[in-house]
């Protein structure tokens, strides 16, 4: 029964990861500006004269160190799977979106699609979190601060994203309208979806476990 439960959790985690990367791929394809963390990564890359990928790996290591001090219990296997799998999933989704040439659309259409992408990411992250096997280090920073500071996710997310945005700009990153939209909407949208998706996923996982438990009781 335990192996079946883990398999269900992995399924939920994988769905969450893919949904998130669909949203992120839309962000990148629309070319309206990076999300705040990516903007920060770009700024660090320019300041250190390294590639964005190298900057991302460096920040990931730093965040893991911070998380180890703040709340090491939240670092789970899914955290490391995100480090490995997120980039692979993102590359795959980007290849699927490339033929659509989304960056060539009118500004109004791109903004509408960007807002849809914000909703997609805001659904994907609660799914990933509800799997209870871990989220990416940069996402764990928000959750660790929510737990430690006893503030709402919206307040923590917007505050940290503003810091990312300011630091990224000061280091040479390029801000866009999409960056501002991410700061304004991702936190509130995720706060809205967290309880609803957590309820659905928890029910799904408990239902599976309950069904197995009833089956075993019947056999006894």
């Amino acid at each position: 029964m335990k192996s079946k439960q883990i398999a269900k959790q992995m399924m939920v985690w994988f769905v969450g990861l893919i949904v998130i990367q669909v949203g992120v791929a839309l962000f990148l394809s629309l070319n309206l500006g990076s999300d705040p963390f990516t903007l920060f990564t770009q700024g660090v890359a320019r300041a250190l004269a390294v590639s964005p990928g190298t900057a991302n790996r460096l920040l990931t290591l730093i965040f893991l160190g911070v998380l180890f001090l703040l709340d090491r219990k939240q670092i789970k296997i899914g955290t490391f799977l995100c480090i490995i799998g997120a980039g692979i999933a993102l590359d795959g989704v980007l290849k699927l979106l490339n033929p659509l040439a989304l960056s060539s659309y009118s500004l109004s259409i791109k903004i509408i699609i960007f807002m849809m992408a914000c909703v997609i990411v805001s659904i994907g992250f609660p799914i990933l979190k509800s799997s209870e096997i871990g989220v990416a280090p940069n996402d764990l920073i928000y959750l660790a601060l929510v737990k430690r500071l006893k503030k709402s996710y919206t307040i923590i997310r917007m505050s940290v994203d503003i810091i990312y945005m300011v630091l990224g700009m000061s280091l040479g990153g390029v801000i866009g309208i999409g960056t501002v939209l991410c700061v304004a909407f991702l936190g509130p949208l995720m706060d809205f979806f967290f309880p609803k998706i957590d309820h659905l996923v928890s029910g799904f996982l408990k239902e599976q476990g309950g069904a197995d438990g009833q089956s075993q009781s019947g056999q006894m």
Side-chain angles (χ1 to χ4, degrees):
M1 186 172 71
K2 185 177 180 180
S3 62
K4 288 183 179 180
Q5 187 74 1
I6 293 174
K8 295 298 180 183
Q9 287 179 280
M10 287 299 301
M11 183 190 303
V12 171
W13 180 90
F14 182 75
V15 169
L17 181 74
I18 295 299
V19 172
I20 291 170
Q21 299 316 312
V22 168
V24 173
L26 286 170
F27 288 160
L28 296 174
S29 299
L30 291 165
N31 199 27
L32 286 179
S34 305
D35 63 272
F37 178 70
T38 301
L39 175 66
F40 179 43
T41 300
Q42 291 173 344
V44 171
R46 290 193 178 191
L48 300 179
V50 297
S51 70
T54 299
N56 184 274
R57 287 189 290 272
L58 176 62
L59 290 173
T60 296
L61 290 173
I62 293 173
F63 285 174
L64 282 174
V66 172
L67 288 165
F68 188 80
L69 296 175
L70 284 178
D71 192 0
R72 68 190 67 177
K73 291 182 179 179
Q74 292 202 52
I75 301 176
K76 303 176 182 178
I77 183 63
T79 303
F80 300 99
L81 291 176
C82 282
I83 296 172
I84 298 170
I88 297 173
L90 178 59
D91 288 343
V93 178
L94 283 171
K95 288 181 180 179
L96 294 175
L97 292 178
N98 281 340
L100 299 178
L102 295 177
S103 62
S104 64
Y105 291 15
S106 67
L107 179 60
S108 58
I109 296 298
K110 289 199 291 184
I111 290 176
I112 291 172
I113 297 175
F114 197 97
M115 289 303 302
M116 292 173 59
C118 284
V119 174
I120 291 171
V121 171
S122 298
I123 291 173
F125 181 59
I127 294 175
L128 192 75
K129 177 179 177 293
S130 295
S131 72
E132 297 184 352
I133 60 173
V135 301
N138 55 303
D139 289 320
L140 268 180
I141 290 291
Y142 301 117
L143 300 177
L145 289 173
V146 167
K147 184 177 179 180
R148 179 168 287 265
L149 299 179
K150 310 297 184 184
K151 301 293 183 181
S152 72
Y153 184 85
T154 294
I155 292 174
I156 295 297
R157 176 91 195 200
M158 293 182 73
S159 299
V160 174
D161 280 352
I162 288 172
I163 293 172
Y164 284 154
M165 184 172 64
V166 172
L167 289 175
M169 290 174 58
S170 66
L171 292 172
V174 180
I175 190 174
I177 186 173
T179 311
V180 178
L181 291 174
C182 284
V183 171
F185 291 105
L186 285 181
L189 281 171
M190 287 186 189
D191 235 350
F192 174 78
F193 284 115
F194 271 135
K196 296 172 175 57
I197 291 176
D198 185 63
H199 176 73
L200 290 174
V201 173
S202 296
F204 168 72
L205 295 176
K206 288 179 181 178
E207 180 182 349
Q208 299 303 314
D212 289 341
Q214 290 174 5
S215 177
Q216 290 181 357
S217 297
Q219 291 176 0
M220 291 174 64

